[in-house]
Amino acid sequence: MPESRSRKKAAYIPPPTKSAGPKVNPPWFVPVMLGLMLVGLAWIVVTYLSQSQYPIPSLGSWNLAIGGVLIVAGFGMTTRWR
C-alpha cells in the first residue's frame, strides 16, 4: 500500500507588533461624560418637579426626551472610555 504524503506546515508568521503604549482619553473626556449624565438627570428632575413647565416651557413633555438624550449620550461615551 502506498504511503500518504505528509502535510507541509505553513511557516510561522509572528503577530504584528503593537503600538508603543495604551491609548488614553483626553483630559476633558470624563468630565464631559459625567456632566452629560448629570445634566440629563437634572433636566428630567426639573421637568417632573415643575410639571413640564421648565426648563423650556414650550416643549412640554419633550423636555423628558431631551433629558433622556443627554443621559444616553453620556452613557454612549462610556463605551469609548479607556
Side-chain angles (χ1 to χ4, degrees), residues 15-81:
T17 58
K18 294 199 174 207
S19 61
K23 296 179 182 178
V24 295
N25 290 324
W28 55 265
F29 191 82
V30 174
V32 169
M33 177 182 70
L34 293 175
L36 283 172
M37 289 188 276
L38 291 175
V39 168
L41 177 65
W43 196 289
I44 290 174
V45 167
V46 167
T47 300
Y48 271 120
L49 292 178
S50 68
Q51 298 174 353
S52 298
Q53 294 300 314
Y54 294 104
I56 303 175
S58 62
L59 293 180
S61 294
W62 282 102
N63 280 314
L64 293 175
I66 293 172
V69 167
L70 291 171
I71 292 173
V72 168
F75 276 113
M77 288 180 73
T78 62
T79 63
R80 299 286 185 172
W81 185 26

